[in-house]
Amino acid sequence: MFAAQTTPVLSHAAKPAAWQSSIYISQAFNEVALKNEYDKARHRIRKWRIPVRVFIEHQVGDRALHTQLVQMQLTHLAEITGHDMQLVDTLADANLHLVFTRQSLWASEVTRLMGVKSAQNVHGSVCMGKFALNSKSEIERAWVIIPVDQAQMHGKLVACVVEEITQVLGLPNDSEKVFPSIFNDKTPQDLLTGLDFILLKLLYNPSILAGMTAAEVKSPVQFLLKQWQSDGTIEHADKIVRQGQLYPLLGY
């Protein structure tokens, strides 16, 4: 007579996620902060120095819902980065122009706000963002366009709000080398992950300056990651990031 053992094996410590390696995070930061989605060039660090003021242009219904989604994401991003981000009532007071439109106006709206060259990339895209820099690589203006019916058809309305507003803060590249992340089009992430949380904290740390090259940013990134490994910031990033208002709204 014999029997299988049913006593569970106790685990004394959770195994760290692969992305929590300082080397992985550093490489991920280089991917999303120092590259662009539509070119192969190496770029300098790009970030806002001035407060971000967002005007929403509603060309479709559900104004209250769309405004709520944007406000929740702006609040979350401001908490993570420490950067001042607020909605404003007029376009004249804004430096980030966000348009909720429809698929039939998608290409014309991209052309109107972002230019003919950007309109060449609408095919295969669900939504789009773009920013403009000054001579110091500081972001001065940005635009986000979301064709609501198209985004809903792909189940990506919330993802578009989250990803595009986040990317126009200075993390413009999508990469399959960054996981789990909203910056990876091959994964189903709709909301910010722990890795995204760390990438945003890196970019908006005062020691990371607009205009820095990959070589110049290496030392401060390494210093911050060593500090955050020691104090538990990286270990608890997945838990911390889920304190954003969008997570319970989507059932997380």
Side-chain angles (χ1 to χ4, degrees):
M1 185 175 178
F2 56 89
Q5 297 297 311
T6 59
T7 304
V9 177
L10 297 179
S11 174
H12 295 287
K15 190 175 182 179
W19 74 261
Q20 292 177 325
S21 154
S22 292
I23 294 175
Y24 189 100
I25 297 171
S26 180
Q27 291 172 343
F29 186 74
N30 285 351
E31 281 292 314
V32 299
L34 294 165
K35 295 182 181 180
N36 271 6
E37 187 171 359
Y38 297 110
D39 68 48
K40 302 296 184 181
R42 296 290 290 183
H43 295 268
R44 295 174 181 265
I45 290 293
R46 296 151 293 183
K47 61 191 287 187
W48 293 82
R49 181 182 58 82
I50 58 177
V52 179
R53 295 293 179 259
V54 184
F55 174 74
I56 304 175
E57 181 179 342
H58 298 276
Q59 299 181 354
V60 293
D62 292 326
R63 296 168 65 103
L65 170 63
H66 298 158
T67 300
Q68 180 187 27
L69 294 176
V70 172
Q71 181 62 74
M72 285 180 168
Q73 180 62 7
L74 287 176
T75 298
H76 197 201
L77 290 169
E79 290 170 349
I80 294 170
T81 63
H83 197 73
D84 185 358
M85 293 177 238
Q86 298 178 30
L87 289 175
V88 293
D89 295 327
T90 65
L91 182 57
D93 293 326
N95 47 29
L96 198 169
H97 185 180
L98 194 157
V99 180
F100 285 100
T101 188
R102 54 180 57 86
Q103 195 275 334
S104 60
L105 299 175
W106 174 218
S108 62
E109 285 301 293
V110 171
T111 301
R112 175 173 75 96
L113 294 179
M114 301 180 182
V116 175
K117 188 175 181 179
S118 293
Q120 296 172 357
N121 298 313
V122 298
H123 300 293
S125 301
V126 181
C127 42
M128 192 174 291
K130 181 179 180 179
F131 53 66
L133 306 172
N134 64 18
S135 59
K136 300 177 181 179
S137 293
E138 297 166 341
I139 303 171
E140 291 198 325
R141 301 198 68 82
W143 302 265
V144 170
I145 303 174
I146 302 174
V148 174
D149 49 352
Q150 177 172 274
Q152 288 176 329
M153 180 177 67
H154 292 278
K156 290 291 185 181
L157 178 59
V158 174
C160 277
V161 171
V162 171
E163 180 176 349
E164 299 304 338
I165 296 177
T166 304
Q167 291 199 297
V168 297
L169 293 188
L171 299 172
N173 193 39
D174 289 325
S175 173
E176 294 181 23
K177 298 177 182 178
V178 182
F179 177 88
S181 173
I182 63 167
F183 307 118
N184 186 331
D185 288 335
K186 300 296 184 181
T187 58
Q189 305 296 332
D190 288 340
L191 302 179
L192 298 174
T193 67
L195 175 56
D196 298 330
F197 170 82
I198 296 297
L199 296 177
L200 282 161
K201 283 181 66 67
L202 281 173
L203 181 63
Y204 277 86
N205 187 276
S207 65
I208 307 295
L209 305 176
M212 278 185 165
T213 64
E216 291 169 336
V217 82
K218 184 176 180 179
S219 179
V221 165
Q222 289 179 339
F223 176 83
L224 290 168
L225 293 180
K226 183 178 180 180
Q227 177 182 320
W228 295 342
Q229 290 286 10
S230 298
D231 66 17
T233 299
I234 293 173
E235 179 184 356
H236 299 295
D238 282 320
K239 181 178 180 180
I240 297 170
V241 79
R242 288 178 180 243
Q243 295 175 1
Q245 295 173 317
L246 283 172
Y247 294 81
L249 189 69
L250 268 64
Y252 284 85

